Coordinates of all heavy atoms in Angstrom, one line a residue:
M638 N 114.4 100.7 106.1 CA 114.0 99.3 106.3 C 113.4 98.8 105.0 O 112.7 99.6 104.3 CB 113.1 99.1 107.4 CG 111.7 99.7 107.3 SD 110.6 99.6 108.7 CE 110.6 97.9 109.0
T639 N 113.6 97.5 104.6 CA 113.1 97.0 103.4 C 112.4 95.6 103.7 O 112.7 95.0 104.7 CB 114.2 96.8 102.3 OG1 115.1 95.8 102.8 CG2 114.9 98.1 101.9
F640 N 111.5 95.3 102.8 CA 110.8 94.0 102.9 C 110.3 93.7 101.5 O 110.2 94.6 100.6 CB 109.7 93.9 103.9 CG 108.6 94.9 103.8 CD1 107.4 94.6 103.2 CD2 108.8 96.2 104.2 CE1 106.4 95.5 103.0 CE2 107.7 97.2 104.1 CZ 106.6 96.8 103.5
H641 N 109.8 92.4 101.3 CA 109.3 92.0 100.0 C 107.8 91.9 100.0 O 107.2 91.5 101.0 CB 110.0 90.7 99.6 CG 111.4 90.7 99.5 ND1 112.1 91.3 98.4 CD2 112.4 90.3 100.3 CE1 113.4 91.2 98.6 NE2 113.6 90.6 99.7
V642 N 107.2 92.2 98.9 CA 105.8 92.1 98.7 C 105.5 91.3 97.4 O 106.2 91.5 96.4 CB 105.1 93.5 98.6 CG1 103.7 93.4 98.1 CG2 105.2 94.2 99.9
R643 N 104.5 90.4 97.5 CA 104.0 89.7 96.2 C 102.7 90.3 96.0 O 101.7 90.1 96.7 CB 103.9 88.2 96.4 CG 103.4 87.6 95.1 CD 103.7 86.1 95.2 NE 103.5 85.3 94.0 CZ 102.9 85.5 92.9 NH1 102.5 86.7 92.6 NH2 102.8 84.6 91.9
L644 N 102.6 91.1 94.9 CA 101.4 91.9 94.5 C 100.6 91.2 93.5 O 101.1 90.7 92.5 CB 101.8 93.3 94.0 CG 100.7 94.2 93.7 CD1 99.9 94.5 94.9 CD2 101.2 95.4 93.0
T645 N 99.3 91.1 93.8 CA 98.3 90.6 92.9 C 97.4 91.7 92.4 O 96.5 92.2 93.2 CB 97.5 89.4 93.5 OG1 98.3 88.4 93.9 CG2 96.5 88.9 92.5
P646 N 97.6 92.3 91.2 CA 96.7 93.3 90.8 C 95.4 92.8 90.2 O 95.3 91.6 89.9 CB 97.6 94.0 89.7 CG 98.4 92.9 89.2 CD 98.7 92.0 90.3
G647 N 94.5 93.7 90.0 CA 93.2 93.3 89.4 C 92.3 92.4 90.3 O 91.5 91.7 89.8
A648 N 92.5 92.5 91.6 CA 91.8 91.7 92.5 C 90.4 92.4 92.8 O 90.1 93.5 92.3 CB 92.5 91.6 93.9
S649 N 89.5 91.6 93.4 CA 88.2 92.1 93.7 C 88.1 93.2 94.8 O 87.2 93.9 95.0 CB 87.2 91.0 94.0 OG 87.7 90.3 95.2
R650 N 89.2 93.2 95.6 CA 89.3 94.2 96.7 C 90.8 94.4 97.1 O 91.6 93.6 96.7 CB 88.6 93.6 98.0 CG 89.2 92.4 98.5 CD 88.3 91.8 99.7 NE 88.8 90.5 100.1 CZ 89.8 90.4 101.0 NH1 90.3 91.4 101.7 NH2 90.2 89.2 101.4
D651 N 91.0 95.5 97.7 CA 92.4 95.8 98.2 C 92.5 95.1 99.6 O 91.7 95.3 100.4 CB 92.6 97.3 98.4 CG 92.6 98.1 97.1 OD1 92.7 97.5 96.0 OD2 92.4 99.3 97.1
A652 N 93.6 94.4 99.8 CA 93.8 93.7 101.0 C 95.2 93.3 101.2 O 95.9 92.9 100.3 CB 92.9 92.4 101.1
I653 N 95.7 93.4 102.5 CA 96.9 92.9 102.9 C 96.6 91.5 103.5 O 95.9 91.4 104.4 CB 97.6 93.8 103.9 CG1 98.0 95.1 103.2 CG2 98.9 93.1 104.4 CD1 98.5 96.2 104.2
E654 N 97.1 90.5 102.8 CA 96.7 89.1 103.2 C 97.5 88.6 104.4 O 97.1 88.6 105.5 CB 96.9 88.2 102.0 CG 96.0 88.7 100.9 CD 95.0 87.8 100.4 OE1 95.3 86.6 100.3 OE2 93.9 88.3 100.2
T655 N 98.7 88.1 104.2 CA 99.6 87.5 105.2 C 101.0 87.4 104.7 O 101.3 87.6 103.5 CB 99.0 86.2 105.7 OG1 99.7 85.7 106.9 CG2 99.1 85.1 104.6
W656 N 101.9 86.9 105.6 CA 103.2 86.6 105.2 C 103.3 85.2 104.6 O 102.7 84.3 105.2 CB 104.2 86.8 106.4 CG 104.4 88.2 106.8 CD1 103.7 88.9 107.8 CD2 105.3 89.1 106.2 NE1 104.2 90.2 107.8 CE2 105.2 90.3 106.9 CE3 106.2 89.0 105.2 CZ2 105.9 91.5 106.5 CZ3 107.0 90.1 104.8 CH2 106.8 91.3 105.5
Q657 N 104.0 85.0 103.5 CA 104.2 83.7 102.9 C 105.6 83.5 102.5 O 106.4 84.4 102.4 CB 103.3 83.7 101.6 CG 101.8 83.9 101.8 CD 101.1 83.9 100.5 OE1 101.6 84.1 99.5 NE2 99.7 83.7 100.6
S658 N 106.0 82.2 102.3 CA 107.3 81.9 101.8 C 107.2 81.4 100.4 O 106.2 80.7 100.0 CB 107.9 80.8 102.7 OG 108.1 81.2 104.0
D659 N 108.2 81.7 99.6 CA 108.2 81.2 98.2 C 109.0 79.9 98.2 O 109.4 79.4 99.2 CB 108.8 82.2 97.2 CG 110.2 82.6 97.5 OD1 110.9 82.0 98.3 OD2 110.7 83.6 96.9
A660 N 109.3 79.4 97.0 CA 110.0 78.1 96.8 C 111.4 78.2 97.4 O 111.9 77.1 97.8 CB 110.0 77.7 95.4
A661 N 112.0 79.3 97.3 CA 113.4 79.5 97.9 C 113.4 79.9 99.3 O 114.4 80.3 99.9 CB 114.1 80.6 97.0
D662 N 112.2 79.8 100.0 CA 112.0 80.1 101.4 C 112.3 81.5 101.7 O 112.7 81.9 102.8 CB 112.9 79.2 102.3 CG 112.3 78.9 103.6 OD1 111.0 79.0 103.7 OD2 113.0 78.7 104.6
R663 N 112.0 82.4 100.8 CA 112.1 83.9 101.0 C 110.7 84.4 101.5 O 109.7 84.0 100.9 CB 112.5 84.6 99.8 CG 114.0 84.4 99.4 CD 114.3 85.1 98.1 NE 113.4 84.5 97.1 CZ 113.8 84.3 95.8 NH1 115.0 84.7 95.4 NH2 113.0 83.7 94.9
L664 N 110.7 85.1 102.5 CA 109.4 85.7 103.1 C 109.0 86.9 102.3 O 109.8 87.8 102.0 CB 109.7 86.0 104.5 CG 108.5 86.0 105.5 CD1 107.8 84.6 105.5 CD2 108.9 86.3 106.9
H665 N 107.7 87.0 102.0 CA 107.1 88.2 101.4 C 105.7 88.3 101.9 O 105.0 87.4 102.4 CB 107.1 88.0 99.9 CG 106.3 86.9 99.4 ND1 106.9 85.6 99.1 CD2 105.0 86.8 99.1 CE1 105.9 84.8 98.7 NE2 104.8 85.5 98.7
L666 N 105.2 89.6 101.9 CA 103.9 89.9 102.3 C 103.0 89.8 101.0 O 103.2 90.5 100.0 CB 103.9 91.4 102.8 CG 102.6 91.9 103.5 CD1 102.2 91.0 104.6 CD2 102.8 93.3 103.9
A667 N 101.9 89.0 101.1 CA 101.0 88.9 100.0 C 99.9 90.0 100.1 O 99.3 90.2 101.1 CB 100.3 87.6 100.1
V668 N 99.8 90.8 99.0 CA 98.9 91.9 98.9 C 98.1 91.9 97.6 O 98.7 91.5 96.6 CB 99.7 93.3 99.0 CG1 98.8 94.5 98.9 CG2 100.6 93.3 100.3
R669 N 96.9 92.2 97.7 CA 96.0 92.3 96.5 C 95.5 93.8 96.4 O 95.2 94.4 97.4 CB 94.8 91.4 96.7 CG 95.1 90.0 96.8 CD 93.9 89.1 97.0 NE 94.2 87.7 97.1 CZ 94.4 86.9 96.1 NH1 94.2 87.4 94.9 NH2 94.7 85.7 96.3
V670 N 95.4 94.2 95.1 CA 94.9 95.6 94.9 C 93.9 95.5 93.7 O 94.1 94.6 92.8 CB 96.0 96.6 94.6 CG1 96.8 96.9 95.8 CG2 96.8 96.3 93.4
R671 N 92.9 96.3 93.7 CA 92.0 96.4 92.6 C 92.6 97.0 91.3 O 92.1 96.6 90.2 CB 90.7 97.2 93.0 CG 89.9 96.5 94.0 CD 88.7 97.4 94.3 NE 89.1 98.6 95.0 CZ 88.7 99.0 96.2 NH1 87.8 98.3 96.8 NH2 89.1 100.1 96.7
S672 N 93.5 97.8 91.4 CA 94.1 98.5 90.3 C 94.7 97.5 89.3 O 95.2 96.5 89.7 CB 95.1 99.5 90.7 OG 94.5 100.5 91.5
V673 N 94.8 97.9 88.1 CA 95.4 97.1 87.0 C 96.9 97.5 86.9 O 97.3 98.6 87.3 CB 94.7 97.3 85.7 CG1 93.3 96.8 85.7 CG2 94.7 98.8 85.3
P674 N 97.7 96.6 86.4 CA 99.1 96.8 86.3 C 99.5 97.6 85.0 O 100.2 97.2 84.2 CB 99.7 95.4 86.2 CG 98.7 94.6 85.6 CD 97.4 95.2 86.1
E675 N 98.9 98.8 84.9 CA 99.1 99.7 83.8 C 99.7 101.0 84.3 O 99.1 101.6 85.2 CB 97.9 100.0 83.0 CG 97.3 98.9 82.2 CD 96.0 99.3 81.5 OE1 95.6 100.5 81.7 OE2 95.4 98.5 80.8
K676 N 100.8 101.5 83.7 CA 101.3 102.8 84.0 C 101.5 103.0 85.5 O 101.3 104.1 85.9 CB 100.5 103.9 83.4 CG 100.3 103.8 81.9 CD 99.4 104.9 81.3 CE 99.2 104.7 79.8 NZ 98.3 105.6 79.3
G677 N 101.9 102.0 86.2 CA 102.2 102.1 87.6 C 101.0 102.3 88.5 O 101.2 102.5 89.7
K678 N 99.8 102.0 88.0 CA 98.6 102.2 88.9 C 98.6 101.2 90.0 O 98.2 101.5 91.1 CB 97.4 102.0 88.0 CG 97.1 103.2 87.1 CD 95.9 102.9 86.2 CE 95.7 104.0 85.2 NZ 94.6 103.8 84.3
A679 N 99.0 99.9 89.7 CA 99.0 98.9 90.8 C 100.0 99.2 91.9 O 99.8 99.1 93.1 CB 99.2 97.5 90.2
N680 N 101.2 99.7 91.4 CA 102.2 100.1 92.4 C 101.8 101.2 93.3 O 102.0 101.2 94.5 CB 103.5 100.4 91.7 CG 104.2 99.2 91.1 OD1 104.0 98.1 91.5 ND2 105.1 99.5 90.2
A681 N 101.1 102.2 92.7 CA 100.6 103.3 93.4 C 99.5 102.9 94.4 O 99.5 103.4 95.6 CB 100.0 104.4 92.5
A682 N 98.7 102.0 94.0 CA 97.7 101.5 94.9 C 98.3 100.7 96.1 O 97.9 100.8 97.2 CB 96.7 100.6 94.2
L683 N 99.3 99.9 95.8 CA 100.1 99.2 96.8 C 100.7 100.1 97.8 O 100.5 99.9 99.0 CB 101.2 98.3 96.2 CG 102.2 97.7 97.1 CD1 101.6 96.7 98.0 CD2 103.4 97.1 96.3
L684 N 101.4 101.1 97.3 CA 102.0 102.1 98.3 C 101.0 102.8 99.1 O 101.2 103.1 100.3 CB 102.9 103.1 97.5 CG 104.1 102.4 96.8 CD1 104.8 103.5 96.0 CD2 105.0 101.7 97.7
A685 N 99.8 103.2 98.5 CA 98.8 103.9 99.2 C 98.2 103.0 100.3 O 98.0 103.4 101.4 CB 97.7 104.4 98.3
L686 N 98.0 101.7 100.0 CA 97.4 100.8 100.9 C 98.4 100.6 102.1 O 98.0 100.6 103.3 CB 97.1 99.5 100.3 CG 96.6 98.3 101.1 CD1 95.3 98.7 101.8 CD2 96.4 97.1 100.3
L687 N 99.7 100.3 101.8 CA 100.6 100.1 102.9 C 100.8 101.4 103.7 O 100.9 101.3 105.0 CB 102.0 99.7 102.3 CG 102.1 98.3 101.7 CD1 103.4 98.1 100.9 CD2 101.9 97.3 102.8
A688 N 100.8 102.5 103.1 CA 101.0 103.8 103.9 C 99.8 104.0 104.8 O 100.0 104.3 106.0 CB 101.1 105.0 102.9
K689 N 98.6 103.7 104.3 CA 97.4 103.8 105.2 C 97.5 102.9 106.3 O 97.2 103.3 107.5 CB 96.2 103.6 104.3 CG 94.9 103.6 105.1 CD 93.7 103.4 104.2 CE 92.4 103.3 105.0 NZ 91.3 102.8 104.1
R690 N 97.7 101.6 106.1 CA 97.7 100.6 107.1 C 98.8 100.7 108.1 O 98.7 100.4 109.3 CB 97.7 99.2 106.5 CG 96.5 98.8 105.8 CD 95.3 98.6 106.7 NE 95.5 97.7 107.8 CZ 95.4 96.4 107.7 NH1 95.0 95.8 106.6 NH2 95.6 95.6 108.7
L691 N 100.0 101.2 107.6 CA 101.1 101.4 108.5 C 101.2 102.8 109.2 O 102.0 103.1 110.0 CB 102.4 101.2 107.8 CG 102.6 99.7 107.3 CD1 103.8 99.6 106.4 CD2 102.7 98.8 108.4
A692 N 100.2 103.7 108.8 CA 100.1 105.0 109.3 C 101.4 105.8 109.1 O 101.9 106.4 110.0 CB 99.7 105.0 110.8
I693 N 101.9 105.8 107.8 CA 103.1 106.6 107.5 C 102.7 107.4 106.3 O 101.8 107.1 105.5 CB 104.3 105.6 107.2 CG1 104.0 104.7 106.0 CG2 104.7 104.9 108.4 CD1 105.1 103.9 105.6
P694 N 103.4 108.5 106.1 CA 103.2 109.3 104.9 C 103.6 108.6 103.6 O 104.6 107.8 103.6 CB 104.1 110.5 105.1 CG 104.5 110.5 106.5 CD 104.4 109.1 107.0
K695 N 102.9 108.8 102.5 CA 103.2 108.1 101.3 C 104.6 108.4 100.8 O 105.2 107.6 100.1 CB 102.1 108.5 100.2 CG 100.8 107.9 100.4 CD 99.9 108.3 99.3 CE 98.4 108.1 99.6 NZ 97.5 108.6 98.6
R696 N 105.0 109.6 101.1 CA 106.4 110.0 100.6 C 107.5 109.2 101.3 O 108.6 109.2 100.8 CB 106.6 111.5 100.9 CG 106.7 111.8 102.4 CD 107.0 113.3 102.6 NE 107.1 113.5 104.0 CZ 106.1 113.9 104.8 NH1 104.9 114.0 104.3 NH2 106.3 114.1 106.1
D697 N 107.2 108.5 102.4 CA 108.2 107.7 103.1 C 108.3 106.2 102.6 O 109.0 105.4 103.2 CB 108.0 107.7 104.6 CG 108.2 109.1 105.2 OD1 108.9 109.9 104.5 OD2 107.8 109.3 106.3
I698 N 107.5 105.8 101.6 CA 107.5 104.5 101.2 C 107.6 104.4 99.6 O 107.1 105.3 98.9 CB 106.2 103.8 101.6 CG1 106.2 102.3 101.3 CG2 104.9 104.4 101.1 CD1 105.1 101.5 102.0
D699 N 108.4 103.4 99.2 CA 108.7 103.4 97.7 C 109.0 101.9 97.3 O 109.5 101.1 98.1 CB 110.0 104.3 97.5 CG 110.2 104.6 96.0 OD1 109.2 104.5 95.2 OD2 111.3 104.9 95.6
V700 N 108.8 101.7 96.0 CA 109.2 100.4 95.4 C 110.6 100.6 94.9 O 110.8 101.4 94.0 CB 108.2 100.0 94.3 CG1 108.7 98.7 93.6 CG2 106.8 99.8 94.7
I701 N 111.5 99.9 95.4 CA 112.9 100.1 95.0 C 113.4 99.0 94.0 O 114.4 99.2 93.4 CB 113.9 100.2 96.2 CG1 113.9 99.0 97.1 CG2 113.6 101.5 97.0 CD1 115.0 98.9 98.1
R702 N 112.7 97.9 93.9 CA 113.0 96.8 93.0 C 111.7 96.1 92.6 O 110.9 95.9 93.4 CB 114.0 95.9 93.7 CG 115.0 95.4 92.8 CD 116.1 94.6 93.5 NE 116.9 95.4 94.4 CZ 117.1 95.1 95.7 NH1 116.8 94.0 96.2 NH2 117.8 96.0 96.4
G703 N 111.6 95.8 91.3 CA 110.5 95.0 90.9 C 109.3 95.8 90.5 O 108.2 95.3 90.6
A704 N 109.5 97.0 90.0 CA 108.4 97.8 89.6 C 107.4 97.2 88.6 O 106.2 97.4 88.6 CB 108.9 99.2 89.1
T705 N 108.0 96.3 87.7 CA 107.1 95.7 86.7 C 106.9 94.2 87.0 O 106.4 93.5 86.2 CB 107.8 95.8 85.3 OG1 109.1 95.3 85.3 CG2 107.8 97.3 84.9
S706 N 107.3 93.8 88.2 CA 107.2 92.4 88.6 C 106.2 92.2 89.7 O 105.8 93.2 90.3 CB 108.6 91.9 89.1 OG 108.5 90.6 89.7
R707 N 105.7 91.0 89.9 CA 104.8 90.8 91.0 C 105.5 90.8 92.3 O 105.0 91.2 93.4 CB 104.1 89.5 90.9 CG 103.0 89.5 89.8 CD 102.3 88.2 89.8 NE 101.3 88.2 88.7 CZ 100.0 88.1 88.9 NH1 99.5 88.0 90.1 NH2 99.2 88.1 87.9
L708 N 106.8 90.4 92.4 CA 107.6 90.4 93.6 C 108.3 91.7 93.6 O 109.1 92.0 92.7 CB 108.5 89.2 93.6 CG 109.3 89.0 94.9 CD1 108.3 88.8 96.1 CD2 110.2 87.8 94.9
K709 N 108.1 92.5 94.7 CA 108.6 93.8 94.8 C 109.4 94.0 96.1 O 109.1 93.3 97.0 CB 107.5 94.9 94.8 CG 106.7 94.8 93.5 CD 105.5 95.7 93.5 CE 104.6 95.5 92.3 NZ 105.3 95.6 91.0
T710 N 110.4 94.8 96.1 CA 111.1 95.2 97.3 C 110.6 96.6 97.6 O 110.7 97.5 96.8 CB 112.6 95.2 97.1 OG1 113.0 93.9 96.6 CG2 113.3 95.5 98.4
I711 N 110.1 96.7 98.9 CA 109.6 98.0 99.4 C 110.6 98.5 100.4 O 111.1 97.8 101.2 CB 108.2 97.7 100.1 CG1 107.3 97.0 99.1 CG2 107.7 99.0 100.6 CD1 106.9 97.8 97.9
R712 N 110.8 99.9 100.3 CA 111.6 100.6 101.3 C 110.8 101.6 102.0 O 110.0 102.3 101.4 CB 112.8 101.3 100.6 CG 113.7 102.0 101.6 CD 114.8 102.8 101.0 NE 114.2 103.8 100.1 CZ 114.8 104.3 99.0 NH1 116.0 103.9 98.7 NH2 114.2 105.2 98.3
I713 N 111.0 101.6 103.3 CA 110.3 102.6 104.2 C 111.4 103.4 104.9 O 112.3 102.8 105.5 CB 109.4 101.9 105.2 CG1 108.3 101.2 104.5 CG2 108.8 103.0 106.2 CD1 107.4 100.4 105.4
A714 N 111.3 104.7 104.7 CA 112.2 105.6 105.4 C 111.6 106.0 106.7 O 110.5 106.6 106.7 CB 112.5 106.8 104.6
A715 N 112.2 105.6 107.8 CA 111.6 105.9 109.1 C 112.7 106.0 110.2 O 113.8 105.4 110.1 CB 110.6 104.8 109.6
D716 N 112.5 106.8 111.2 CA 113.4 106.9 112.3 C 113.3 105.7 113.2 O 112.4 104.9 113.1 CB 113.2 108.2 113.1 CG 111.8 108.4 113.6 OD1 111.1 107.4 113.7 OD2 111.5 109.5 114.0
A717 N 114.2 105.5 114.1 CA 114.3 104.3 115.0 C 113.0 104.0 115.7 O 112.5 102.9 115.7 CB 115.4 104.4 115.9
P718 N 112.4 105.0 116.4 CA 111.1 104.7 117.1 C 110.0 104.3 116.2 O 109.2 103.4 116.5 CB 110.8 106.0 117.8 CG 112.0 106.8 117.9 CD 112.8 106.4 116.7
S719 N 109.9 104.9 115.0 CA 108.9 104.6 114.1 C 109.1 103.2 113.5 O 108.2 102.4 113.2 CB 108.8 105.6 112.9 OG 108.4 106.8 113.4
Q720 N 110.4 102.8 113.3 CA 110.7 101.5 112.7 C 110.2 100.4 113.7 O 109.7 99.4 113.2 CB 112.2 101.3 112.6 CG 112.8 102.0 111.3 CD 114.2 101.7 111.1 OE1 114.8 100.9 111.8 NE2 114.8 102.3 110.1
S721 N 110.3 100.5 115.0 CA 109.9 99.5 115.9 C 108.4 99.3 115.8 O 107.8 98.2 115.7 CB 110.2 99.9 117.3 OG 111.6 100.0 117.5
R722 N 107.6 100.5 115.6 CA 106.2 100.4 115.5 C 105.8 99.8 114.2 O 104.9 98.9 114.1 CB 105.6 101.8 115.6 CG 104.1 101.9 115.4 CD 103.6 103.3 115.3 NE 104.2 104.1 114.3 CZ 103.8 104.1 113.0 NH1 102.9 103.3 112.6 NH2 104.4 104.9 112.2
I723 N 106.5 100.1 113.1 CA 106.2 99.6 111.8 C 106.5 98.1 111.7 O 105.7 97.3 111.2 CB 107.0 100.4 110.7 CG1 106.4 101.8 110.6 CG2 106.9 99.7 109.3 CD1 107.3 102.7 109.8
V724 N 107.6 97.7 112.3 CA 107.9 96.2 112.3 C 106.8 95.5 113.1 O 106.4 94.4 112.6 CB 109.3 96.0 113.0 CG1 109.5 94.5 113.3 CG2 110.4 96.5 112.0
A725 N 106.3 96.0 114.2 CA 105.3 95.3 114.9 C 104.0 95.2 114.1 O 103.3 94.2 114.1 CB 105.0 96.1 116.2
Q726 N 103.7 96.3 113.4 CA 102.5 96.3 112.5 C 102.7 95.3 111.4 O 101.7 94.5 111.0 CB 102.2 97.7 111.9 CG 101.7 98.6 113.0 CD 101.5 100.0 112.4 OE1 102.5 100.6 112.0 NE2 100.3 100.5 112.4
L727 N 103.9 95.2 110.8 CA 104.1 94.3 109.7 C 104.0 92.8 110.2 O 103.4 92.0 109.6 CB 105.5 94.5 109.1 CG 105.6 95.7 108.2 CD1 107.1 96.0 107.9 CD2 104.8 95.6 106.9
E728 N 104.5 92.6 111.4 CA 104.4 91.2 112.0 C 103.0 90.9 112.3 O 102.6 89.7 112.1 CB 105.3 91.2 113.3 CG 106.8 91.2 113.0 CD 107.6 91.3 114.3 OE1 107.0 91.5 115.4 OE2 108.8 91.1 114.2
A729 N 102.2 91.8 112.6 CA 100.8 91.6 112.9 C 100.0 91.1 111.7 O 98.9 90.5 111.8 CB 100.1 92.8 113.5
F730 N 100.5 91.4 110.5 CA 99.8 91.0 109.3 C 99.7 89.5 109.1 O 98.9 89.0 108.4 CB 100.4 91.6 108.0 CG 100.2 93.1 107.9 CD1 101.2 93.9 107.5 CD2 99.0 93.7 108.3 CE1 101.0 95.3 107.4 CE2 98.8 95.1 108.2 CZ 99.8 95.9 107.7
A731 N 100.6 88.8 109.9 CA 100.6 87.3 109.8 C 99.3 86.8 110.5 O 98.9 85.7 110.2 CB 101.8 86.8 110.5
D732 N 98.7 87.6 111.4 CA 97.6 87.1 112.1 C 96.2 87.6 111.7 O 95.2 87.3 112.2 CB 97.7 87.4 113.6 CG 99.0 86.8 114.2 OD1 99.3 85.7 113.8 OD2 99.6 87.5 115.0
E733 N 96.2 88.5 110.7 CA 95.0 89.1 110.3 C 94.7 89.0 108.8 O 95.7 88.9 108.0 CB 94.9 90.6 110.7 CG 95.8 91.5 109.9 CD 95.7 92.9 110.3 OE1 96.0 93.3 111.5 OE2 95.3 93.7 109.5
R734 N 93.5 89.0 108.4 CA 93.1 88.9 107.0 C 91.9 89.8 106.9 O 90.8 89.3 106.8 CB 92.8 87.5 106.6 CG 94.0 86.7 106.5 CD 93.6 85.3 106.1 NE 94.8 84.4 106.0 CZ 95.3 83.9 104.9 NH1 94.6 84.1 103.8 NH2 96.3 83.2 104.9
T735 N 92.1 91.1 107.0 CA 90.9 92.0 106.9 C 91.0 92.8 105.6 O 92.0 93.2 105.2 CB 90.9 92.9 108.1 OG1 92.1 93.6 108.1 CG2 90.7 92.2 109.4
P736 N 89.8 93.1 105.0 CA 89.8 93.9 103.8 C 90.1 95.4 104.2 O 89.8 95.8 105.3 CB 88.4 93.7 103.2 CG 87.6 93.3 104.4 CD 88.5 92.6 105.4
D737 N 90.6 96.1 103.2 CA 90.8 97.6 103.4 C 90.0 98.4 102.4 O 89.8 98.0 101.3 CB 92.3 97.9 103.2 CG 93.1 97.3 104.3 OD1 92.9 97.6 105.5 OD2 94.0 96.5 104.0

């Protein structure tokens, strides 16, 4: 399964914000991390945050597009039962704004 993330590095806290639409009406998850965008540190922090909040192993999540861009495509490798749970958790991010 894949989805888009708009990452803001160098934030004051790590947080998964909410789902947003861009000018082309593409949906992405807004995420902030404290790490700086040097040598993949912000991407690693993003993956760690998503893995923690989605309760999946870090090895099952990866940035497949946009490694040096703010807009990234994330891929999660999961079996069918896990995918349903993960989709429900991702949808729930629209209703919450809690720090991690």
Side-chain angles (χ1 to χ4, degrees):
M638 69 184 304
T639 62
F640 60 98
H641 300 286
V642 167
R643 182 164 187 352
L644 182 63
T645 303
S649 60
R650 63 185 173 92
D651 292 344
I653 296 174
E654 304 242 314
T655 189
W656 288 96
Q657 300 175 343
S658 294
D659 63 11
D662 209 26
R663 291 176 296 216
L664 205 57
H665 61 268
L666 187 61
V668 179
R669 298 178 180 275
V670 294
R671 290 182 294 237
S672 296
V673 294
E675 288 179 1
K676 300 180 183 176
K678 291 178 184 176
N680 287 343
L683 167 66
L684 296 178
L686 177 61
L687 288 172
K689 177 182 174 186
R690 291 293 304 276
L691 297 172
I693 59 174
K695 288 181 198 176
R696 69 177 179 271
D697 290 346
I698 187 168
D699 195 20
V700 175
I701 59 170
R702 220 171 293 133
T705 60
S706 170
R707 285 183 185 245
L708 189 59
K709 301 173 184 308
T710 303
I711 305 297
R712 179 184 59 207
I713 297 176
D716 57 17
S719 295
Q720 280 186 6
S721 298
R722 177 186 58 79
I723 292 167
V724 167
Q726 288 175 297
L727 287 169
E728 289 173 349
F730 291 140
D732 300 325
E733 71 177 63
R734 289 176 180 246
T735 56
D737 290 302

